[in-house]
Amino acid sequence: MEHAETLIFNYSNIFFSYYFNDDIRCHKMIEDHSLAYIYAGEMLAEKGSEKTKIHKGQCVFIRKDHRLTLTKKAKDGQQFQAIFMVFNRKFLRDFFYSLDKSEIPTDIKKIKNSLVKLPNNPEIESLFESLKPYFNSTNEPREQIMNLKLQEGIYTLLNIDPGFYSCLFDFTEPWKIDILDFMDKNYMYDFSIEDIANYTGRSLASFKRDFRKISFLSPQKWLMEKRLKVAYDKLKIDNKKVSDVYHEVGFKNLSHFSTAFKKRFGVAPTQ
């Protein structure tokens, strides 16, 4: 996948990422456990008031189902460059079934932190050094090779801390998150209704059913109403510029915002 400012190769859930500007900020719900190794630049991970910097040469475990803001940044004259290993549910299930269950330790504490910085041990260095050549290769690696690398990533985590057993192989459904609380905090982001359902721990059908219990509006209309009301306050009370407000509340273009605002309030946002 290529964009003017990014270049990302996905080889069987191992992502090779280049960024070509100094600061890229992305809001993302981490749907699967993952490992991130920073080859150049740095990454800032924010969850609420918690902030963690991951520097060049560092590897971090990112736990699934946590709302994170990730900022990929240039550092010391080098643009951001990293590898992300993503362990989806099916992969982890297959891996778990292949384990000798008698060797799984008991009475282990589950990893609960959203982000875990990993030690720079030989296993981590060996794993990512073996992947580094694919940054500059024009030949796509075979799926079987990438699958083995994912398995190596899991074994590396389990050797670092047995607590990863209970974290990685917990296949219970995610806890349901309060819908309105989530939407109230994240109305400005470009999430589809399917995204919101997933992020709040529901199937799409379950989300729609639960939403009907708490609002007479459809989810799309609720989001539109929320964005317009916040925009109204920003313009009238905070005296902000229209050119700033429409983007802040989640509209993609000024024309759409102006049309929706006038339809809702009877006046143009400039008035």
Side-chain angles (χ1 to χ4, degrees):
M1 180 172 60
E2 296 186 35
H3 301 284
E5 298 175 328
T6 66
L7 183 61
I8 301 174
F9 302 100
N10 176 12
Y11 298 135
S12 304
N13 280 332
I14 298 180
F15 294 80
F16 296 77
S17 305
Y18 299 81
Y19 289 78
F20 299 112
N21 69 356
D22 289 339
D23 192 54
I24 291 184
R25 192 179 186 88
C26 65
H27 303 273
K28 185 177 182 181
M29 171 71 80
I30 307 302
E31 298 179 39
D32 296 297
H33 298 306
S34 54
L35 276 177
Y37 186 88
I38 312 302
Y39 275 110
E42 68 176 15
M43 183 168 70
L44 175 66
E46 299 174 82
K47 180 174 181 285
S49 60
E50 299 177 21
K51 296 184 179 182
T52 305
K53 281 188 177 181
I54 304 98
H55 302 286
K56 177 181 177 180
Q58 290 187 324
C59 183
V60 63
F61 172 76
I62 305 174
R63 189 166 168 263
K64 70 173 182 178
D65 295 330
H66 281 269
R67 183 81 174 85
L68 290 177
T69 298
L70 302 177
T71 306
K72 291 89 178 252
K73 310 176 74 172
K75 180 75 173 179
D76 298 328
Q78 295 181 319
Q79 295 293 338
F80 181 83
Q81 188 174 335
I83 291 180
F84 294 84
M85 304 183 76
V86 178
F87 310 111
N88 64 34
R89 190 180 181 88
K90 182 182 183 306
F91 173 82
L92 290 173
R93 276 190 179 277
D94 292 344
F95 187 98
F96 181 71
Y97 291 143
S98 71
L99 291 175
D100 181 349
K101 305 304 184 292
S102 65
E103 296 182 0
I104 298 177
T106 57
D107 299 325
I108 51 179
K109 292 184 178 180
K110 184 176 180 179
I111 301 292
K112 294 184 177 181
N113 292 339
S114 304
L115 215 69
V116 180
K117 278 190 178 181
L118 302 176
N120 291 329
N121 65 15
E123 290 179 327
I124 291 288
E125 293 175 6
S126 173
L127 171 61
F128 286 99
E129 280 300 316
S130 68
L131 290 168
K132 192 173 182 179
Y134 295 112
F135 264 127
N136 304 311
S137 174
T138 56
N139 298 318
E140 184 173 338
R142 288 184 297 169
E143 183 178 350
Q144 297 93 322
I145 298 297
M146 293 294 99
N147 188 265
L148 287 173
K149 292 301 177 184
L150 288 170
Q151 292 181 44
E152 185 180 345
I154 295 296
Y155 280 120
T156 298
L157 286 170
L158 298 179
N159 288 336
I160 289 174
D161 188 340
F164 283 113
Y165 275 99
S166 58
C167 175
L168 291 168
F169 307 124
D170 178 5
F171 301 117
T172 57
E173 292 301 316
W175 292 103
K176 287 186 177 182
I177 298 172
D178 182 86
I179 291 175
L180 288 185
D181 182 61
F182 179 86
M183 292 175 69
D184 198 52
K185 292 177 180 176
N186 300 282
Y187 67 88
M188 71 293 292
Y189 301 126
D190 188 23
F191 291 150
S192 68
I193 301 305
E194 289 82 358
D195 288 335
I196 297 174
N198 188 40
Y199 297 164
T200 56
R202 295 165 171 83
S203 66
L204 182 58
S206 175
F207 171 80
K208 289 180 177 179
R209 183 172 59 251
D210 289 349
F211 197 85
R212 283 196 294 269
K213 298 175 183 177
I214 56 178
S215 176
F216 64 89
L217 296 174
S218 68
Q220 294 90 339
K221 289 183 177 180
W222 189 97
L223 286 170
M224 177 65 75
E225 182 70 9
K226 174 69 177 180
R227 289 169 177 171
L228 291 172
K229 283 184 176 179
V230 173
Y232 185 92
D233 289 341
K234 286 177 177 286
L235 292 169
K236 187 174 179 65
I237 299 174
D238 299 337
N239 201 29
K240 285 195 167 187
K241 296 180 179 178
V242 175
S243 57
D244 294 329
V245 167
Y246 85 91
H247 181 70
E248 289 177 8
V249 299
F251 282 86
K252 292 182 179 180
N253 62 72
L254 181 57
S255 176
H256 182 207
F257 170 67
S258 297
T259 300
F261 191 94
K262 187 171 183 178
K263 182 178 179 181
R264 172 64 178 83
F265 298 109
V267 294
T270 50
Q271 297 177 274

